[in-house]
Structure formats: structure tokens, C-alpha cells
Coordinates of all heavy atoms in Angstrom, one line a residue:
M1 N 1.7 -8.3 2.8 CA 1.7 -7.4 1.8 C 1.0 -6.1 2.3 O 0.3 -6.0 3.2 CB 1.0 -7.9 0.6 CG -0.6 -8.2 0.9 SD -1.5 -8.5 -0.6 CE -1.7 -6.9 -1.3
R2 N 1.4 -5.0 1.6 CA 0.9 -3.7 2.0 C 0.0 -3.1 1.1 O 0.3 -3.1 -0.2 CB 2.1 -2.8 2.3 CG 2.9 -3.3 3.6 CD 4.1 -2.5 3.9 NE 4.6 -3.2 5.1 CZ 4.7 -2.6 6.3 NH1 4.6 -1.3 6.3 NH2 5.1 -3.2 7.5
E3 N -1.1 -2.6 1.5 CA -2.1 -1.9 0.5 C -2.1 -0.4 0.9 O -2.1 0.0 2.1 CB -3.5 -2.5 0.8 CG -3.8 -3.9 0.2 CD -5.1 -4.3 0.4 OE1 -5.8 -3.8 1.1 OE2 -5.3 -5.4 -0.3
Y4 N -2.1 0.4 -0.2 CA -2.0 1.9 0.0 C -3.3 2.5 -0.4 O -4.0 2.0 -1.4 CB -0.8 2.3 -0.7 CG 0.5 1.9 -0.3 CD1 1.0 0.7 -0.6 CD2 1.2 2.6 0.8 CE1 2.3 0.2 -0.1 CE2 2.4 2.1 1.4 CZ 2.9 0.9 0.8 OH 4.1 0.4 1.4
K5 N -3.6 3.6 0.1 CA -4.8 4.4 -0.1 C -4.7 5.1 -1.5 O -5.7 5.4 -2.1 CB -5.1 5.4 1.0 CG -5.6 4.8 2.3 CD -5.9 5.8 3.3 CE -6.3 5.1 4.6 NZ -6.6 6.0 5.7
N6 N -3.5 5.4 -1.9 CA -3.4 6.1 -3.2 C -2.4 5.4 -4.1 O -1.6 4.6 -3.7 CB -2.9 7.5 -3.0 CG -1.6 7.5 -2.0 OD1 -1.2 6.5 -1.6 ND2 -1.1 8.7 -2.0
K7 N -2.3 5.7 -5.3 CA -1.5 5.0 -6.4 C -0.1 5.4 -6.1 O 0.8 4.5 -6.5 CB -1.9 5.5 -7.7 CG -3.2 4.8 -8.2 CD -3.5 5.2 -9.6 CE -4.9 4.7 -10.1 NZ -5.6 5.7 -10.8
E8 N 0.2 6.5 -5.5 CA 1.7 6.8 -5.3 C 2.3 6.0 -4.2 O 3.5 6.0 -4.1 CB 1.7 8.3 -4.9 CG 1.4 9.2 -6.1 CD -0.2 9.4 -6.0 OE1 -0.8 9.4 -5.0 OE2 -0.7 9.6 -7.2
G9 N 1.4 5.2 -3.4 CA 1.9 4.3 -2.4 C 2.5 5.1 -1.3 O 3.5 4.7 -0.6
R10 N 2.0 6.2 -0.9 CA 2.4 7.0 0.3 C 1.7 6.9 1.5 O 2.2 7.1 2.6 CB 2.6 8.5 -0.1 CG 4.0 8.7 -0.8 CD 4.2 10.2 -1.2 NE 3.4 10.4 -2.4 CZ 3.2 11.7 -2.9 NH1 3.5 12.8 -2.3 NH2 2.4 11.8 -3.8
I11 N 0.4 6.7 1.4 CA -0.6 6.4 2.6 C -0.9 5.0 2.7 O -1.6 4.5 2.0 CB -1.8 7.4 2.4 CG1 -1.3 8.9 2.2 CG2 -2.6 7.2 3.6 CD1 -2.4 9.8 1.8
L12 N -0.4 4.4 3.8 CA -0.6 3.0 4.0 C -2.0 2.8 4.5 O -2.5 3.5 5.5 CB 0.4 2.5 5.1 CG 0.5 1.0 5.4 CD1 0.9 0.2 4.2 CD2 1.4 0.9 6.5
H13 N -2.7 1.8 3.9 CA -4.1 1.6 4.2 C -4.2 0.5 5.2 O -4.7 0.5 6.3 CB -4.9 1.2 2.9 CG -6.3 0.9 3.2 ND1 -7.2 1.6 4.0 CD2 -6.9 -0.3 2.7 CE1 -8.4 0.9 3.9 NE2 -8.2 -0.2 3.3
R14 N -3.5 -0.8 4.9 CA -3.5 -1.8 5.8 C -2.4 -2.8 5.4 O -1.9 -2.7 4.3 CB -4.9 -2.5 5.8 CG -5.3 -3.1 4.5 CD -6.6 -3.8 4.5 NE -7.0 -4.5 3.2 CZ -8.0 -5.2 3.1 NH1 -8.8 -5.5 4.1 NH2 -8.2 -5.8 1.9
I15 N -2.2 -3.7 6.2 CA -1.2 -4.6 6.0 C -1.8 -6.0 6.0 O -2.8 -6.3 7.0 CB -0.1 -4.7 7.1 CG1 0.6 -3.2 7.0 CG2 1.0 -5.7 6.8 CD1 1.6 -2.9 8.1
I16 N -1.6 -7.0 5.2 CA -2.1 -8.3 5.2 C -0.9 -9.2 5.4 O 0.0 -9.3 4.5 CB -2.9 -8.5 3.8 CG1 -3.9 -7.6 3.7 CG2 -3.4 -10.0 3.9 CD1 -4.6 -7.6 2.3
C17 N -1.0 -10.0 6.3 CA 0.1 -11.1 6.7 C 0.1 -12.0 5.5 O -0.9 -12.7 5.1 CB -0.3 -11.8 7.9 SG 0.8 -13.2 8.3
N18 N 1.3 -12.2 4.9 CA 1.4 -13.2 3.8 C 1.3 -14.6 4.2 O 1.1 -15.5 3.5 CB 2.8 -12.9 3.2 CG 2.8 -11.7 2.3 OD1 2.9 -10.5 2.8 ND2 2.7 -11.8 0.8
G19 N 1.6 -14.8 5.6 CA 1.6 -16.2 6.1 C 0.2 -16.7 6.2 O -0.1 -17.9 5.9
C20 N -0.8 -15.9 6.8 CA -2.1 -16.5 7.2 C -3.3 -15.6 6.6 O -4.5 -16.0 6.9 CB -2.2 -16.6 8.7 SG -2.2 -15.0 9.5
G21 N -2.9 -14.5 6.0 CA -4.0 -13.7 5.5 C -4.7 -12.7 6.5 O -5.6 -11.9 6.1
K22 N -4.2 -12.6 7.7 CA -4.7 -11.8 8.7 C -4.5 -10.3 8.4 O -3.4 -9.9 7.9 CB -4.0 -12.0 10.1 CG -4.5 -11.1 11.2 CD -3.6 -11.5 12.5 CE -4.0 -10.6 13.7 NZ -3.2 -11.0 14.9
I23 N -5.6 -9.6 8.5 CA -5.5 -8.2 8.3 C -5.0 -7.3 9.6 O -5.6 -7.5 10.6 CB -6.8 -7.6 7.8 CG1 -7.2 -8.1 6.5 CG2 -6.9 -6.0 7.7 CD1 -8.6 -8.0 6.1
I24 N -4.0 -6.5 9.4 CA -3.5 -5.7 10.4 C -3.9 -4.2 10.1 O -3.5 -3.7 9.1 CB -1.9 -5.9 10.5 CG1 -1.6 -7.4 11.0 CG2 -1.3 -4.9 11.6 CD1 -0.3 -7.8 10.5
T25 N -4.6 -3.8 10.9 CA -5.2 -2.3 10.8 C -4.0 -1.3 11.0 O -3.1 -1.6 11.8 CB -6.3 -2.1 11.7 OG1 -6.0 -2.2 13.0 CG2 -7.5 -2.9 11.3
V26 N -4.1 -0.2 10.2 CA -3.1 0.7 10.3 C -3.9 2.1 10.6 O -5.0 2.4 10.0 CB -2.4 1.0 9.0 CG1 -1.6 2.2 8.9 CG2 -1.5 -0.2 8.7
Q27 N -3.4 2.8 11.6 CA -4.0 4.1 12.0 C -2.9 5.2 12.1 O -1.8 5.0 12.6 CB -4.6 4.0 13.4 CG -5.9 3.3 13.5 CD -6.5 3.1 14.8 OE1 -6.1 3.8 15.7 NE2 -7.5 2.3 14.9
S28 N -3.1 6.3 11.3 CA -2.2 7.3 11.1 C -0.8 6.8 10.6 O 0.3 7.2 11.2 CB -2.1 8.1 12.4 OG -3.4 8.7 12.9
G29 N -0.8 5.8 9.8 CA 0.4 5.3 9.2 C 1.2 4.2 10.2 O 2.2 3.8 9.8
M30 N 0.6 4.0 11.2 CA 1.2 3.0 12.3 C 0.4 1.8 12.3 O -0.7 1.8 12.6 CB 1.2 3.7 13.6 CG 2.2 4.9 13.8 SD 3.7 4.2 14.5 CE 3.3 3.5 16.1
P31 N 1.1 0.6 12.1 CA 0.4 -0.7 12.3 C 0.0 -0.8 13.8 O 0.7 -0.4 14.6 CB 1.5 -1.7 11.9 CG 2.6 -1.0 11.3 CD 2.5 0.4 11.8
M32 N -1.2 -1.4 14.0 CA -1.8 -1.6 15.4 C -1.4 -2.8 16.0 O -1.8 -3.1 17.1 CB -3.2 -1.3 15.4 CG -3.8 0.0 14.9 SD -3.4 1.3 16.1 CE -2.0 2.1 15.5
E33 N -0.5 -3.6 15.4 CA 0.0 -4.8 15.9 C 1.5 -5.0 15.4 O 1.9 -4.2 14.5 CB -0.7 -6.0 15.4 CG -2.3 -6.1 16.0 CD -2.8 -7.3 15.3 OE1 -2.3 -8.4 15.3 OE2 -4.0 -7.1 14.7
G34 N 2.2 -5.9 16.1 CA 3.5 -6.2 15.6 C 3.5 -6.7 14.2 O 2.8 -7.7 14.0
V35 N 4.4 -6.4 13.4 CA 4.6 -6.8 12.1 C 6.1 -7.0 11.6 O 6.9 -6.2 12.0 CB 4.0 -5.7 11.0 CG1 4.1 -6.2 9.6 CG2 2.5 -5.4 11.3
F36 N 6.3 -8.1 11.1 CA 7.7 -8.5 10.6 C 7.6 -8.1 9.1 O 7.0 -8.8 8.4 CB 7.9 -9.9 10.9 CG 9.3 -10.4 10.3 CD1 10.4 -9.8 10.7 CD2 9.3 -11.4 9.4 CE1 11.6 -10.3 10.3 CE2 10.5 -11.9 8.8 CZ 11.7 -11.3 9.4
Q37 N 8.3 -7.0 8.8 CA 8.5 -6.5 7.4 C 9.8 -6.9 6.8 O 10.9 -6.7 7.4 CB 8.3 -5.0 7.4 CG 8.3 -4.5 6.0 CD 8.2 -2.8 5.9 OE1 8.4 -2.2 7.0 NE2 8.1 -2.4 4.7
V38 N 9.6 -7.5 5.6 CA 10.8 -7.9 4.9 C 10.9 -7.3 3.6 O 10.0 -7.3 2.8 CB 10.8 -9.5 4.8 CG1 12.0 -10.0 3.9 CG2 10.9 -10.2 6.0
R39 N 12.1 -6.9 3.2 CA 12.3 -6.5 1.9 C 13.8 -6.9 1.6 O 14.7 -6.5 2.0 CB 12.4 -4.9 1.7 CG 12.6 -4.3 0.3 CD 12.6 -2.9 0.2 NE 12.7 -2.5 -1.1 CZ 13.8 -2.2 -1.8 NH1 15.0 -2.4 -1.2 NH2 13.9 -1.8 -3.1
Q40 N 13.8 -8.0 0.7 CA 15.0 -8.8 0.5 C 15.4 -8.4 -0.9 O 14.7 -8.9 -1.9 CB 14.8 -10.2 0.7 CG 16.0 -11.1 0.2 CD 17.2 -10.8 1.0 OE1 17.2 -10.4 2.1 NE2 18.4 -11.2 0.4
V41 N 16.6 -7.8 -1.1 CA 17.2 -7.6 -2.4 C 18.2 -8.7 -2.6 O 19.2 -8.8 -2.0 CB 17.9 -6.2 -2.4 CG1 18.6 -6.1 -3.7 CG2 16.9 -5.1 -2.0
W42 N 17.9 -9.6 -3.7 CA 18.8 -10.6 -4.0 C 19.9 -10.1 -4.9 O 19.7 -9.5 -5.9 CB 18.0 -11.7 -4.7 CG 17.0 -12.4 -3.8 CD1 15.6 -12.2 -3.7 CD2 17.2 -13.4 -2.8 NE1 15.1 -12.9 -2.7 CE2 16.0 -13.6 -2.2 CE3 18.5 -14.0 -2.3 CZ2 16.0 -14.6 -1.2 CZ3 18.4 -14.8 -1.3 CH2 17.1 -15.2 -0.7
E43 N 21.1 -10.4 -4.6 CA 22.2 -10.0 -5.4 C 22.9 -11.0 -6.2 O 22.4 -12.2 -6.3 CB 23.2 -9.3 -4.4 CG 22.6 -8.1 -3.7 CD 23.3 -7.4 -2.7 OE1 24.5 -7.7 -2.4 OE2 22.9 -6.3 -2.3
Y44 N 24.0 -10.6 -6.7 CA 24.6 -11.3 -7.9 C 24.9 -12.8 -7.5 O 24.6 -13.7 -8.5 CB 25.9 -10.7 -8.2 CG 26.7 -11.4 -9.4 CD1 26.1 -11.3 -10.7 CD2 27.9 -12.0 -9.1 CE1 26.8 -11.9 -11.7 CE2 28.5 -12.6 -10.2 CZ 28.0 -12.6 -11.5 OH 28.6 -13.2 -12.5
M45 N 25.3 -13.1 -6.4 CA 25.7 -14.5 -6.1 C 24.5 -15.5 -5.8 O 24.7 -16.6 -5.5 CB 26.7 -14.5 -4.9 CG 28.1 -13.9 -5.2 SD 28.8 -14.5 -6.7 CE 29.3 -16.1 -6.2
S46 N 23.3 -14.8 -5.8 CA 22.0 -15.7 -5.6 C 21.5 -16.1 -6.9 O 21.9 -15.7 -7.9 CB 21.1 -14.9 -4.8 OG 20.5 -14.0 -5.7
G47 N 20.6 -17.1 -6.7 CA 19.9 -17.6 -8.0 C 18.8 -16.6 -8.3 O 18.1 -16.9 -9.3
K48 N 18.6 -15.5 -7.6 CA 17.5 -14.6 -7.9 C 18.1 -13.2 -8.2 O 17.5 -12.1 -7.9 CB 16.5 -14.5 -6.7 CG 16.0 -15.9 -6.3 CD 15.1 -15.6 -5.1 CE 14.7 -17.0 -4.4 NZ 15.9 -17.8 -4.0
D49 N 19.3 -13.2 -8.8 CA 20.0 -11.9 -8.9 C 19.1 -10.8 -9.5 O 18.5 -11.0 -10.6 CB 21.1 -12.2 -10.0 CG 22.0 -10.8 -10.3 OD1 22.0 -10.0 -9.4 OD2 22.5 -10.7 -11.4
G50 N 19.1 -9.7 -8.8 CA 18.3 -8.5 -9.2 C 16.9 -8.5 -8.8 O 16.1 -7.5 -9.2
E51 N 16.4 -9.6 -8.2 CA 14.9 -9.6 -7.8 C 14.9 -9.1 -6.3 O 15.7 -9.3 -5.5 CB 14.5 -11.0 -7.9 CG 14.5 -11.4 -9.5 CD 13.8 -12.8 -9.6 OE1 14.2 -13.7 -8.9 OE2 12.9 -12.9 -10.5
I52 N 13.8 -8.5 -6.0 CA 13.4 -7.9 -4.7 C 12.2 -8.6 -4.2 O 11.2 -8.6 -5.0 CB 13.2 -6.4 -4.7 CG1 14.5 -5.8 -5.2 CG2 12.9 -5.9 -3.4 CD1 14.4 -4.3 -5.5
D53 N 12.2 -9.3 -3.2 CA 11.1 -9.9 -2.4 C 10.6 -9.0 -1.2 O 11.4 -8.5 -0.5 CB 11.6 -11.3 -1.9 CG 11.8 -12.4 -2.9 OD1 11.6 -12.0 -4.2 OD2 12.2 -13.5 -2.6
N54 N 9.3 -8.8 -1.3 CA 8.6 -8.1 -0.2 C 7.5 -8.9 0.4 O 6.7 -9.6 -0.3 CB 7.9 -6.9 -0.7 CG 9.0 -5.7 -1.0 OD1 9.5 -5.1 -0.2 ND2 9.3 -5.6 -2.4
F55 N 7.5 -9.1 1.8 CA 6.3 -9.7 2.5 C 6.3 -9.2 3.9 O 7.2 -8.6 4.4 CB 6.4 -11.2 2.3 CG 7.6 -11.9 3.1 CD1 7.5 -12.3 4.4 CD2 8.8 -12.1 2.4 CE1 8.6 -12.9 5.1 CE2 9.8 -12.8 3.1 CZ 9.6 -13.1 4.3
D56 N 5.1 -9.3 4.4 CA 4.9 -9.0 5.8 C 4.2 -10.3 6.5 O 3.5 -10.9 6.0 CB 3.8 -7.9 6.0 CG 4.5 -6.6 5.3 OD1 5.2 -5.9 6.0 OD2 4.1 -6.3 4.1
L57 N 4.7 -10.4 7.8 CA 4.2 -11.6 8.6 C 3.6 -10.9 9.9 O 4.2 -10.0 10.5 CB 5.2 -12.5 8.9 CG 5.7 -13.4 7.9 CD1 6.8 -14.4 8.5 CD2 4.7 -14.2 7.2
C58 N 2.4 -11.5 10.4 CA 1.9 -11.1 11.7 C 2.8 -11.7 12.8 O 3.7 -12.6 12.5 CB 0.5 -11.6 11.9 SG 0.3 -13.3 12.1
E59 N 2.6 -11.3 14.1 CA 3.5 -11.8 15.0 C 3.4 -13.3 15.3 O 4.4 -14.0 15.5 CB 3.2 -11.0 16.3 CG 4.4 -11.0 17.4 CD 4.2 -10.0 18.5 OE1 3.3 -9.1 18.4 OE2 5.0 -10.2 19.5
E60 N 2.2 -13.8 15.1 CA 2.0 -15.2 15.4 C 2.7 -16.0 14.2 O 3.3 -17.1 14.6 CB 0.5 -15.6 15.1 CG -0.3 -15.1 16.4 CD -0.6 -13.7 16.3 OE1 -0.7 -13.0 15.2 OE2 -0.9 -13.0 17.3
C61 N 2.7 -15.6 13.0 CA 3.4 -16.3 11.9 C 4.9 -16.2 12.2 O 5.7 -17.1 11.8 CB 2.9 -15.8 10.5 SG 1.4 -16.3 9.9
Y62 N 5.4 -15.0 12.6 CA 6.8 -14.8 12.9 C 7.2 -15.8 13.9 O 8.4 -16.3 13.7 CB 7.0 -13.4 13.3 CG 8.4 -13.1 13.8 CD1 9.4 -12.8 12.8 CD2 8.7 -13.1 15.1 CE1 10.7 -12.4 13.4 CE2 10.0 -12.9 15.6 CZ 11.0 -12.6 14.7 OH 12.3 -12.3 15.1
D63 N 6.4 -15.9 15.0 CA 6.8 -16.7 16.1 C 6.9 -18.2 15.6 O 7.7 -19.0 16.0 CB 5.8 -16.7 17.2 CG 6.0 -15.4 17.9 OD1 7.1 -14.8 17.9 OD2 5.0 -15.1 18.7
R64 N 5.9 -18.6 14.7 CA 5.8 -20.0 14.1 C 7.1 -20.3 13.2 O 7.7 -21.3 13.3 CB 4.6 -20.2 13.4 CG 4.2 -21.6 13.3 CD 2.9 -21.8 12.4 NE 1.8 -20.9 12.8 CZ 1.3 -20.0 12.0 NH1 1.5 -20.0 10.7 NH2 0.3 -19.2 12.3
M65 N 7.4 -19.2 12.4 CA 8.7 -19.4 11.5 C 10.0 -19.5 12.3 O 10.7 -20.4 12.1 CB 8.7 -18.2 10.6 CG 9.8 -18.3 9.6 SD 10.0 -16.9 8.6 CE 10.6 -15.6 9.8
T66 N 10.0 -18.6 13.4 CA 11.4 -18.6 14.1 C 11.5 -19.8 15.0 O 12.6 -20.2 15.4 CB 11.5 -17.4 14.9 OG1 10.5 -17.2 15.7 CG2 11.6 -16.2 13.9
A67 N 10.4 -20.4 15.4 CA 10.4 -21.5 16.3 C 11.0 -22.9 15.6 O 11.3 -23.8 16.2 CB 8.9 -21.9 16.8
Q68 N 11.0 -22.7 14.2 CA 11.5 -23.8 13.4 C 13.0 -23.7 13.3 O 13.6 -24.7 12.7 CB 10.8 -23.8 12.0 CG 9.4 -24.0 12.0 CD 8.6 -23.8 10.6 OE1 9.4 -23.6 9.7 NE2 7.4 -24.0 10.6
F69 N 13.6 -22.7 13.7 CA 15.1 -22.5 13.5 C 15.8 -23.7 14.2 O 15.4 -24.0 15.4 CB 15.6 -21.2 14.0 CG 15.1 -19.9 13.3 CD1 15.4 -18.7 13.8 CD2 14.4 -20.2 12.0 CE1 15.1 -17.5 12.9 CE2 14.0 -19.0 11.3 CZ 14.3 -17.6 11.7
Q70 N 16.9 -24.1 13.6 CA 17.7 -25.2 14.4 C 18.4 -24.4 15.5 O 18.7 -25.0 16.6 CB 18.8 -25.7 13.3 CG 18.1 -26.7 12.3 CD 17.4 -27.8 12.9 OE1 17.9 -28.5 13.6 NE2 16.1 -28.1 12.5
I71 N 18.9 -23.2 15.3 CA 19.6 -22.5 16.2 C 18.7 -21.3 16.7 O 18.2 -20.5 15.8 CB 20.8 -22.0 15.7 CG1 21.8 -23.1 15.3 CG2 21.6 -21.1 16.6 CD1 22.9 -22.7 14.4
P72 N 18.2 -21.2 18.0 CA 17.3 -20.1 18.2 C 17.9 -18.7 17.9 O 19.0 -18.5 17.9 CB 17.2 -20.3 19.8 CG 17.7 -21.7 20.0 CD 18.8 -22.0 19.1
L73 N 17.0 -17.9 17.6 CA 17.3 -16.5 17.3 C 17.8 -15.8 18.7 O 17.6 -16.3 19.6 CB 16.1 -15.7 16.8 CG 14.8 -15.5 17.7 CD1 14.9 -14.6 18.8 CD2 13.6 -15.2 16.8
T74 N 18.4 -14.7 18.4 CA 19.1 -13.9 19.6 C 18.1 -12.7 19.8 O 17.8 -12.0 18.9 CB 20.4 -13.4 19.2 OG1 21.2 -14.5 18.8 CG2 21.0 -12.6 20.4
R75 N 17.6 -12.6 21.0 CA 16.7 -11.5 21.4 C 17.2 -10.8 22.6 O 17.6 -11.3 23.6 CB 15.3 -12.1 21.8 CG 14.3 -11.0 22.2 CD 12.9 -11.6 22.3 NE 12.3 -11.8 20.9 CZ 11.4 -12.7 20.7 NH1 10.8 -13.4 21.7 NH2 10.9 -13.0 19.4
T76 N 17.3 -9.5 22.3 CA 17.9 -8.6 23.5 C 16.9 -7.5 23.6 O 16.0 -7.2 22.8 CB 19.3 -8.0 23.0 OG1 19.1 -7.4 21.7 CG2 20.3 -9.1 22.8
E77 N 17.2 -6.7 24.6 CA 16.2 -5.5 25.0 C 16.8 -4.4 24.3 O 18.0 -4.1 24.2 CB 16.3 -5.3 26.5 CG 15.5 -6.4 27.3 CD 14.1 -6.4 27.3 OE1 13.5 -5.2 27.2 OE2 13.4 -7.4 27.3
M78 N 15.8 -3.6 23.7 CA 16.3 -2.3 23.0 C 16.5 -1.3 24.1 O 15.6 -1.0 25.0 CB 15.2 -1.9 22.0 CG 15.6 -0.8 21.2 SD 14.5 -0.6 19.7 CE 12.9 -0.1 20.4
V79 N 17.5 -0.6 23.9 CA 17.9 0.5 24.9 C 17.1 1.9 24.4 O 17.6 2.2 23.2 CB 19.3 0.8 25.1 CG1 19.6 1.9 25.9 CG2 20.0 -0.5 25.5
E80 N 16.3 2.4 25.2 CA 15.6 3.6 24.6 C 16.6 4.8 24.7 O 17.3 5.0 25.7 CB 14.6 3.9 25.7 CG 13.5 2.7 25.7 CD 12.2 2.9 25.0 OE1 11.9 4.1 24.5 OE2 11.6 1.9 24.6
M81 N 16.4 5.5 23.7 CA 17.2 6.8 23.6 C 16.3 7.9 24.1 O 15.2 8.2 23.5 CB 17.6 7.1 22.1 CG 18.4 5.9 21.5 SD 19.9 5.6 22.1 CE 20.9 6.6 21.0
V82 N 16.8 8.4 25.3 CA 16.0 9.6 25.8 C 16.6 11.0 25.4 O 17.9 11.1 25.5 CB 15.9 9.5 27.3 CG1 15.0 10.5 27.9 CG2 15.2 8.1 27.6
Ligands
LIG1 ZN1 0.0 -14.4 10.0

């Protein structure tokens, strides 16, 4: 989950991992660790039509979650745009 410094929600204060409660510090709007941010919009064919789920996971919780996959995730190198 994300906590903001102001009510308008424009200045990010800190991120709390929904999986383990770890606090991820934010400096100048940038998380100081890897964060898996999810914003899932559930659409008509789902059982949660019209609902939006938001959560954040720290890198350790992300690794734990993806390690449970029956089929491993695909990881590739990002090509830097210079
Ligand atoms: Zn975590």
C-alpha cells in the first residue's frame, strides 16, 4: 500500500509491502528498493466486475509468490534506450 504526504495523493511518503508489512522508504518520489506495484481493474467477465484492487509487494514477497508458479515466469533483460 502507498501512503501519501498530502490528501491529494500526489507526494508519495512511503510504501508498505502488503505481503509482510515491510516499509519501503521513498526519496524524491522514488522507492529505494524494488517494488512490485499492482493495480488490477476487474472487468465484466470476472466475479469482481467494476472493482479495482491495489497492492504493493517488496522484492522478497514477489520472489516468494512467483516461486509458487507451476510454470516459471519469463525474465528477460531490458534494453536501455540511449
Ligand atoms: Zn514483503
Side-chain angles (χ1 to χ4, degrees):
M1 66 170 285
R2 291 176 177 239
E3 289 184 345
Y4 295 90
K5 286 183 180 174
N6 55 349
K7 286 185 188 137
E8 298 81 32
R10 275 179 284 167
I11 301 168
L12 187 61
H13 174 50
R14 63 181 186 172
I15 299 167
I16 301 169
C17 173
N18 286 80
C20 68
K22 178 182 178 181
I23 293 167
I24 296 155
T25 57
V26 172
Q27 287 177 12
S28 304
M30 285 267 300
M32 293 291 102
E33 297 175 45
V35 179
F36 177 58
Q37 179 183 7
V38 175
R39 181 179 189 272
Q40 170 64 22
V41 180
W42 293 102
E43 296 183 351
Y44 182 68
M45 295 308 288
S46 75
K48 305 175 192 62
D49 180 27
E51 295 184 308
I52 301 170
D53 290 350
N54 286 280
F55 66 89
D56 296 275
L57 293 179
C58 71
E59 198 167 348
E60 291 78 21
C61 286
Y62 173 85
D63 288 343
R64 201 177 319 119
M65 179 182 76
T66 56
Q68 296 170 2
F69 289 176
Q70 293 298 308
I71 299 163
L73 58 76
T74 305
R75 180 167 289 156
T76 56
E77 294 283 324
M78 188 164 64
V79 179
E80 301 263 341
M81 304 293 266
V82 180

